[in-house]
């Protein structure tokens, strides 16, 4: 089996790995660079058979590890004849997200993954392993072909709501792995990298403290697609005696998971507020079935004001004006529950100024979607791979400081597994 990492050997995101055996090929992920600006054109990697004018039946498919743009973002440029694979829930999340965000994707999938259930594509036997990650329905892949075995970790962490799935991976790792393609988001240039940080449980505990300590409305800025975080915010809200107010986007994502263990709009302690932008979209697209499904749970301005001390609300910068106009912000507090780096971007700075001008204090409660270095080491030790090849890291040259048998590869370099 031969490997070529088209992009991702020394950056977070833009991941694209081509595997070849017996003249046939598969791709693992086809992502956008994280640095890409909105609307900027990014060319496809030079992989034969991806575009319509150059069909090539030796390309057997693209396997998308999880529904984050740095792993699927180039799929809209791929020709219809190329078979595409992703987790079933991840596919639903992307399709439903198209109504709310440019980062959705509505395409035909050739198939879906099941945890530890192998399937064949030509000479390749692929076993998906469900991952604990901030993106829902995320996988790593064991790929076997020609007597060689590569395990691609995908993006994962060990401190989320599915940490048990990571413990299972350590207890029953793929065996006889020749190459571990290991993500290293937290292996950085700084001396020690990120050796630890808050877990999802820590975030829940911190949210409870903040909600109990807040007089008025608790406004939480988090991603509607981060389902682990939705669960944490819901659990913290109910444990501090508050109801959770989500928007139509979050309600739709929760339903798309297909899991009745995930907080749903129709649950007793969940309410749905429709920000103006979403109301406008529903009317413009005549998508009234979307509002009908949450009608009994809707919450309006008057109740936001009356019950502000009993509510936790999913908040976005785009809602500032209309929320202020309701008059529900007296005694409010904001929680930033996204990557803190976004606060240094212009939109993050604008939001902080807006909050400060209104005397609304803000705290940060966040947990990374990626494994800290001790957990990378645990995975490397569990499987005992012959070699570890860095991917999805800003500092691949530092893998050797923490991990054994590291073999660095360059973008586009062909090598044998
Ligand atoms: Zn990623």
């Amino acid at each position: 089996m031969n490997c070529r990492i088209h992009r991702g050997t020394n950056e977070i995101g833009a991941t694209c790995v081509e595997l070849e055996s017996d003249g046939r090929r598969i791709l693992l992920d086809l992502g956008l660079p994280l640095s890409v600006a909105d609307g900027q054109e990014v060319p496809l990697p030079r992989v034969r058979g991806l575009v319509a004018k150059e069909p090539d039946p030796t390309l057997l498919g693209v396997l998308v590890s999880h529904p984050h743009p740095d792993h699927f973002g180039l799929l809209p440029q791929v020709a219809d004849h190329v078979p595409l694979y992703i987790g079933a829930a991840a596919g639903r999340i992307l399709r439903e997200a198209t109504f709310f965000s440019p980062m959705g994707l509505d395409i035909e999938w050739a198939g879906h993954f099941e945890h530890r259930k192998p399937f064949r594509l030509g000479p390749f036997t692929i076993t998906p392993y469900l991952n604990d990650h901030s993106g829902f329905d995320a996988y790593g892949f064991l790929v076997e072909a020609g007597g060689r075995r590569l395990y691609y970790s995908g993006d994962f962490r060990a401190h989320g709501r599915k940490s048990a799935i990571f413990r299972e991976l350590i207890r029953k790792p793929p065996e006889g792995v020749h190459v571990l393609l290991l993500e290293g988001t937290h292996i950085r240039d700084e001396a020690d990298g990120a050796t630890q940080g808050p877990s999802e449980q820590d975030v829940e505990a911190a949210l409870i403290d903040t909600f109990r300590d807040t007089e008025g409305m608790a406004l939480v800025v988090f991603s509607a697609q981060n389902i682990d975080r939705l669960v944490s915010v819901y659990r913290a809200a109910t444990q501090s005696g508050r109801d959770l107010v989500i928007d139509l986007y979050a309600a739709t994502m929760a339903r798309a998971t297909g899991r009745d263990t995930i907080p749903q709009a129709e649950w007793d302690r969940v309410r749905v507020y429709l920000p103006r932008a979403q109301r406008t979209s529903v009317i413009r697209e005549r998508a009234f079935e979307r509002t009908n499904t949450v009608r009994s749970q809707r919450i309006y301005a008057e109740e936001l004001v009356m019950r502000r001390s009993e509510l936790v609300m999913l908040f976005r910068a785009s809602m500032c004006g209309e929320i202020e106009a309701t008059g529900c912000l007296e005694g409010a507090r904001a929680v930033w529950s996204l990557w803190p780096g976004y606060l240094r971007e212009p939109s993050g700075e604008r939001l902080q100024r807006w909050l400060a001008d209104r005397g609304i204090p803000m705290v940060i409660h966040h947990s990374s979607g990626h494994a800290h270095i001790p957990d990378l080491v645990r995975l490397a030790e569990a499987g005992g791979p012959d070699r570890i090849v860095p991917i999805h890291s800003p500092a691949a040259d530092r893998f050797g400081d923490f991990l054994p048998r590291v073999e660095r590869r360059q973008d586009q370099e062909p090598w044998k597994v």
Side-chain angles (χ1 to χ4, degrees):
M1 176 159 49
N2 297 306
C3 182
R4 187 193 297 260
I5 302 171
H6 288 271
R7 267 194 89 161
T9 59
N10 201 28
E11 68 184 295
I12 296 174
T15 307
C16 178
V17 179
E18 184 176 17
L19 295 172
E20 183 273 334
S21 180
D22 208 13
R24 275 151 319 153
R25 298 165 296 128
I26 57 173
L27 287 188
L28 308 179
D29 286 331
L30 192 52
L32 277 170
L34 279 190
S35 56
V36 71
D38 274 351
Q40 188 187 333
E41 279 272 317
V42 176
L44 283 170
R46 295 165 64 89
V47 176
R48 274 183 299 121
L50 277 180
V51 292
K53 65 175 191 291
E54 183 195 66
D56 186 336
T58 68
L59 180 62
L60 305 179
V62 182
L63 282 59
V64 176
S65 63
H66 65 282
H68 279 167
D70 61 320
H71 297 261
F72 77 82
L74 289 175
L75 288 186
Q77 295 185 46
V78 172
D80 291 344
H81 66 262
V82 179
L84 308 174
Y85 300 83
I86 196 169
R92 288 194 300 269
I93 281 172
L94 285 179
R95 188 183 63 226
E96 290 299 320
T98 54
F99 187 80
F100 302 94
S101 156
M103 277 304 141
L105 187 64
D106 189 5
I107 55 173
E108 281 288 323
W109 299 97
H112 297 301
F113 309 131
E114 280 181 65
H115 179 48
R116 290 183 182 255
K117 191 168 171 201
F119 65 98
R120 287 191 66 106
L121 287 179
F124 301 97
T125 301
I126 298 137
T127 310
Y129 286 74
L130 187 63
N131 268 342
D132 180 18
H133 183 46
S134 52
F136 196 73
D137 203 20
Y139 294 86
F141 303 112
L142 174 66
V143 183
E144 303 169 76
R148 304 298 287 174
R149 291 174 161 223
L150 173 142
Y151 185 75
Y152 167 49
S153 71
D155 287 7
F156 74 100
R157 60 178 174 174
H159 54 267
R161 297 215 157 261
K162 291 183 296 298
S163 57
I165 212 83
F166 178 75
R167 291 196 297 276
E168 183 194 65
L169 183 63
I170 297 303
R171 219 171 43 245
K172 294 191 292 175
E175 286 172 5
V177 170
H178 299 103
V179 170
L180 169 61
L181 211 53
L182 181 64
E183 81 120 303
T185 310
H186 282 304
I187 296 181
R188 294 169 184 271
D189 289 329
E190 300 87 80
D192 56 349
T195 52
Q196 54 196 310
S199 69
E200 201 58 40
Q201 295 284 356
D202 295 334
V203 169
E204 180 182 323
L207 287 169
I208 292 172
D209 287 347
T210 296
F211 296 165
R212 286 187 175 151
D213 198 34
T214 299
E215 204 182 305
M217 180 90 76
L219 306 164
V220 188
V221 186
F222 68 101
S223 160
Q225 288 195 31
N226 186 340
I227 303 296
D228 269 20
R229 190 59 43 81
L230 171 69
V231 174
S232 299
V233 176
Y234 170 80
R235 288 175 54 91
T238 54
Q239 287 172 82
S240 49
R242 292 171 181 252
D243 290 350
L244 174 62
V245 180
I246 54 177
D247 65 1
L248 193 57
Y249 185 11
T252 305
M253 293 299 98
R255 180 169 300 118
T257 65
R259 298 279 183 80
D260 58 11
T261 51
I262 304 292
Q264 300 290 333
E266 59 274 17
W267 285 18
D268 276 355
R269 311 221 43 189
V270 179
R271 303 293 296 279
V272 179
Y273 175 79
L274 250 73
R276 187 179 300 134
Q278 294 178 6
R279 280 201 308 274
T280 307
S281 298
V282 166
I283 293 165
R284 189 183 60 234
E285 307 287 328
R286 306 192 61 75
F288 300 109
E289 73 288 352
R290 292 187 176 273
T291 38
N292 285 342
T293 55
V294 299
R295 187 177 359 196
S296 62
Q297 300 300 104
R298 293 271 300 264
I299 189 166
Y300 298 91
E302 193 179 314
E303 194 178 345
L304 291 179
V305 178
M306 296 268 295
R307 295 187 59 217
R308 60 186 181 276
S309 61
E310 301 164 21
L311 300 174
V312 170
M313 186 174 200
L314 188 169
F315 188 67
R316 302 173 201 287
S318 59
M319 293 158 61
C320 285
E322 61 188 288
I323 290 298
E324 183 176 29
T326 65
C328 71
L329 292 178
E330 194 189 312
R333 184 187 301 245
V335 178
W336 183 264
S337 199
L338 292 166
W339 180 55
Y342 293 136
L343 285 171
R344 293 189 293 273
E345 294 178 1
S347 58
E349 288 181 344
R350 264 198 310 278
L351 178 63
Q352 289 179 87
R353 267 198 309 277
W354 186 88
L355 292 167
D357 287 350
R358 283 147 191 84
I360 300 172
M362 189 190 79
V363 289
I364 300 174
H365 300 316
H366 182 59
S367 165
S368 169
H370 300 274
H372 297 119
I373 291 171
D375 294 318
L376 299 177
V377 174
R378 283 166 75 198
L379 179 59
E381 285 174 348
D386 289 356
R387 294 127 71 203
I388 296 174
V389 174
I391 196 164
H392 205 280
S393 172
D397 56 330
R398 299 214 56 221
F399 267 58
D401 296 353
F402 308 101
L403 297 157
R405 302 183 299 282
V406 172
E407 183 177 274
R408 260 197 88 182
R409 294 295 177 181
Q410 302 300 322
D411 283 358
Q412 300 184 43
E413 174 193 355
W415 47 276
K416 286 197 183 321
V417 171

